[in-house]
Amino acid sequence: MPKLAEDKCRGCRGGDPPLSALEIAELHPQVPDWKVVKSDSLNTIERVFPFPNFAQALAFTNQVGVLAEEQGHHPVLKTEWGRVTVTWWTHKIKGLHRDDFIMAAKTDRLFETGE
Amino acid sequence: MPKLAEDKCRGCRGGDPPLSALEIAELHPQVPDWKVVKSDSLNTIERVFPFPNFAQALAFTNQVGVLAEEQGHHPVLKTEWGRVTVTWWTHKIKGLHRDDFIMAAKTDRLFETGE
């Protein structure tokens, strides 16, 4: 299987079904630091990234923002002193798409290597 | 009373008590678009700012970030496609300080005038 971080978002068509529990279980090991969060029947994936201050947290928010614009897929970015919480899901299908796991892997790579 | 937006954060000393319900009621009319949110006995003030896309939401997040660094007081900034939710409270006192209302007023001014 190609590495998720090197994959491109395909762009979710509204008709795509959300990933099944089995598909999520297959993809999750590639982004093990992310938590699958279920709320109001909406599945999302979320990770908290730690930083030593506010400025570096905000800088990471901007890096993820650039990635989001490049890929045409946008997360929720919660920026606060010392951390950024990134949440991915696919609005159109009110759930998780393979694109969300690709973006999670790309976000990890950004955190680890800055690229 | 001087306008809150022109006031400076005094820097909360740990010993300051959180604002009382009466003090909050006195300050709130100066930032009427903000909602006082009580959760787990923590009072915060929150406002959702709308934008036409992700890039402009992220640009506002950065503007508020600059303001936060200038004043030495930091919010939670939730950035997503089309909106930014700004939340102010004072960590040291686990509640609302006059500084939070000053920052809310400054955030409003930033949204309205860009300054």
Side-chain angles (χ1 to χ4, degrees):
Chain A
M1 193 190 298
K3 277 192 182 173
L4 278 177
E6 285 156 21
D7 216 339
K8 282 192 182 168
C9 281
R10 295 184 194 160
C12 173
R13 293 181 295 275
D16 290 353
L19 293 175
S20 68
L22 180 61
E23 288 167 321
I24 291 172
E26 280 171 359
L27 290 168
H28 201 178
Q30 289 196 59
V31 288
D33 296 321
W34 292 72
K35 192 167 62 172
V36 176
V37 180
K38 295 185 184 191
S39 66
D40 296 344
S41 76
L42 174 72
N43 288 352
T44 65
I45 44 173
E46 177 182 303
R47 183 177 171 190
V48 179
F49 295 88
F51 295 94
N53 53 38
F54 183 80
Q56 287 183 55
L58 185 55
F60 185 67
T61 290
N62 278 290
Q63 287 180 299
V64 180
V66 168
L67 174 66
E69 289 284 77
E70 277 171 6
Q71 298 285 326
H73 191 44
H74 300 90
V76 173
L77 295 161
K78 187 176 161 200
T79 312
E80 56 199 306
W81 199 99
R83 63 181 173 180
V84 177
T85 307
V86 183
T87 307
W88 293 102
W89 83 96
T90 296
H91 190 77
K92 271 187 194 164
I93 56 173
K94 295 189 174 67
L96 287 168
H97 187 272
R98 191 168 192 276
D99 284 353
D100 298 305
F101 283 86
I102 293 171
M103 294 306 283
K106 289 182 188 293
T107 310
D108 283 347
R109 190 172 61 180
L110 206 51
F111 182 67
E112 285 150 22
T113 70
E115 286 172 11
Chain B
M1 193 190 297
K3 277 192 183 173
L4 278 177
E6 286 156 20
D7 215 340
K8 281 192 182 167
C9 281
R10 295 183 195 162
C12 173
R13 292 182 294 275
D16 291 353
L19 294 175
S20 67
L22 180 60
E23 289 167 321
I24 290 171
E26 279 172 359
L27 290 168
H28 200 179
Q30 289 196 59
V31 288
D33 295 321
W34 292 72
K35 191 168 62 171
V36 176
V37 179
K38 296 185 184 190
S39 66
D40 296 343
S41 76
L42 174 73
N43 288 352
T44 65
I45 45 174
E46 177 181 302
R47 183 177 170 189
V48 179
F49 295 88
F51 295 94
N53 53 38
F54 183 79
Q56 286 183 55
L58 185 56
F60 186 67
T61 290
N62 278 292
Q63 286 181 300
V64 179
V66 169
L67 174 67
E69 290 285 76
E70 278 171 4
Q71 298 286 325
H73 192 43
H74 299 90
V76 173
L77 295 161
K78 188 177 160 198
T79 312
E80 55 198 306
W81 201 100
R83 64 182 172 179
V84 178
T85 306
V86 183
T87 306
W88 293 102
W89 82 96
T90 297
H91 190 79
K92 270 187 193 163
I93 56 173
K94 295 189 175 64
L96 287 169
H97 187 272
R98 191 170 192 278
D99 283 354
D100 298 305
F101 283 86
I102 292 170
M103 294 306 283
K106 288 182 188 294
T107 311
D108 282 347
R109 191 172 61 182
L110 206 52
F111 182 67
E112 285 151 21
T113 70
E115 286 173 10

